[in-house]
Amino acid sequence: MFGFVTIDKPELKFKDYEVYRGVYCSLCKALGKNYSVFARFILNYDCTFLSLFILSRESTCHGFKQGRCRFNPMKRCSYLKNADSALNKGAALTIISSYYKLLDSIADGGFFKKVGCTLIRPFFASWHKKAKRSFPRYEEILKEMFTSQLEIEKSEDAFLDLAAEPTAKMLQAVFKAEAKDRQEEKILSEFGYHLGRWIYLMDGACDLRDDAKSRSFNPFLLKFKSLEDADIKEIDGILSLSYFRLSKAYELLSFDRYKDILDNIILSGLAARQKSIIDSLNPERKS
């Protein structure tokens, strides 16, 4: 998970922002409670979205209670009441995905990055062991993604769509597991697949310049061979195709609560994030 699935804050109502922050702080608290106070540092917006998504479809309406932030006791925070199921899933996915991202950095990072990641690996390994014991299905999904990704990145026959497949299938499986019936399985499979594909390719677009400079693996360099040959308009089009398909699948879903926040994330936040990345690659496009 890469932190691209977040709100478009200027377009979000204040009351909805407070709810979003409450879910974010609640997930932070769950990471600390279930794993370690240091696990809170790997909190990300993508897994906050997952917890919010699950909460929005539960029949129980969870209220909030006030508390103090663990890192800033002067700051008051809102925490969800009786929402352990959704928060524990979000926390476990945060831990397991971060662990495999750490392994990826050790395998492909530069010297100093490898050393740093190797030093902190024992902490992640301890948290990972607990998370995979509590959520073995998440472990199975993420491990398969990591293994497939490594094989693809080492293959001489790799191409852009193939490189995006492991992350796409990973989120497809995660969201499909939340389906209430066969019809929802189809919708959530489509939504999760293209959200995963979009996230992976967004990460590739974000790192394009750095990866070209360091000659690291990047899905867009498979397609365009070099930074100079990269067609920014075509990259935008590739991202927009997955965004279109995930947004259309999303519009077929129903929610019991938090729909305004989810609409803001999916229908506004993702588009704003994509525009920001594309503009950074193509300064002339900035308005």
Side-chain angles (χ1 to χ4, degrees):
M1 309 294 268
F2 306 96
F4 295 118
V5 186
T6 186
I7 56 170
D8 184 5
K9 189 176 178 181
E11 298 298 323
L12 191 64
K13 294 178 181 177
F14 181 76
K15 66 179 180 66
D16 291 329
Y17 177 71
E18 289 300 303
V19 171
Y20 179 76
R21 286 294 303 179
V23 176
Y24 183 85
C25 291
S26 297
L27 181 56
C28 179
K29 186 177 181 180
L31 282 166
K33 178 183 177 182
N34 294 346
Y35 302 102
S36 162
V37 65
F38 298 108
R40 293 173 181 244
F41 288 106
I42 60 173
L43 175 65
N44 62 64
Y45 293 119
D46 296 327
C47 291
T48 301
F49 169 73
L50 175 66
S51 293
L52 183 70
F53 185 90
I54 296 170
L55 286 164
S56 71
R57 293 158 49 79
E58 290 184 347
S59 57
T60 304
C61 182
H62 306 284
F64 287 87
K65 59 183 178 182
Q66 292 296 307
R68 297 284 181 181
C69 175
R70 183 69 178 268
F71 293 110
N72 182 7
M74 300 297 292
K75 180 182 176 182
R76 295 187 66 82
C77 297
S78 296
Y79 296 108
L80 282 159
K81 295 186 291 185
N82 304 315
D84 288 350
S85 177
L87 295 173
N88 289 345
K89 285 181 179 180
L93 194 64
T94 301
I95 294 294
I96 298 172
S97 62
S98 296
Y99 175 74
Y100 282 109
K101 189 165 179 62
L102 184 76
L103 294 187
D104 182 60
S105 296
I106 292 172
D108 293 333
F111 174 76
F112 291 107
K113 189 173 185 179
K114 283 184 178 181
V115 170
C117 290
T118 301
L119 289 174
I120 63 173
R121 181 177 175 177
F123 297 99
F124 278 76
S126 174
W127 306 337
H128 171 245
K129 184 177 180 180
K130 185 175 182 181
K132 74 175 184 179
R133 187 168 60 242
S134 300
F135 291 89
R137 179 56 180 151
Y138 280 178
E139 167 65 12
E140 180 184 337
I141 293 168
L142 269 294
K143 186 175 182 179
E144 182 179 345
M145 181 206 75
F146 177 71
T147 303
S148 298
Q149 198 72 59
L150 283 182
E151 291 176 357
I152 289 168
E153 292 184 9
K154 291 176 181 177
S155 172
E156 295 181 357
D157 299 321
F159 54 94
L160 184 144
D161 288 333
L162 182 63
E165 194 77 354
T167 306
K169 286 187 173 180
M170 181 270 287
L171 278 189
Q172 181 181 51
V174 168
F175 279 96
K176 184 179 177 180
E178 300 302 322
K180 298 175 182 177
D181 54 45
R182 282 285 184 87
Q183 182 62 26
E184 275 202 345
E185 271 192 13
K186 295 178 182 179
I187 298 170
L188 287 173
S189 289
E190 175 81 356
F191 173 74
Y193 181 89
H194 283 285
L195 180 62
R197 186 176 188 274
W198 182 87
I199 288 172
Y200 179 80
L201 294 177
M202 276 285 287
D203 186 60
C206 186
D207 293 342
L208 181 57
R209 293 187 188 282
D210 290 340
D211 288 343
K213 191 178 296 184
S214 63
R215 297 184 179 180
S216 300
F217 181 90
N218 187 290
F220 290 110
L221 293 176
L222 293 175
K223 182 174 181 63
F224 298 111
K225 306 306 178 186
S226 70
L227 182 62
E228 291 72 23
D229 293 333
D231 186 331
I232 307 305
K233 186 175 180 180
E234 188 172 352
I235 292 174
D236 193 21
I238 291 169
L239 288 165
S240 294
L241 176 61
S242 270
Y243 174 71
F244 174 79
R245 294 190 63 173
L246 74 88
S247 62
K248 289 304 176 185
Y250 168 79
E251 289 171 355
L252 297 175
L253 296 168
S254 59
F255 303 94
D256 294 321
R257 60 191 61 82
Y258 307 146
K259 188 175 186 303
D260 287 346
I261 307 175
L262 294 171
D263 283 354
N264 175 275
I265 293 171
I266 299 299
L267 305 180
S268 183
L270 300 191
R273 195 77 173 93
Q274 180 175 321
K275 182 179 184 302
S276 174
I277 296 301
I278 293 299
D279 284 349
S280 72
L281 291 174
N282 186 13
E284 294 80 15
R285 183 174 167 174
K286 292 181 180 179
S287 57

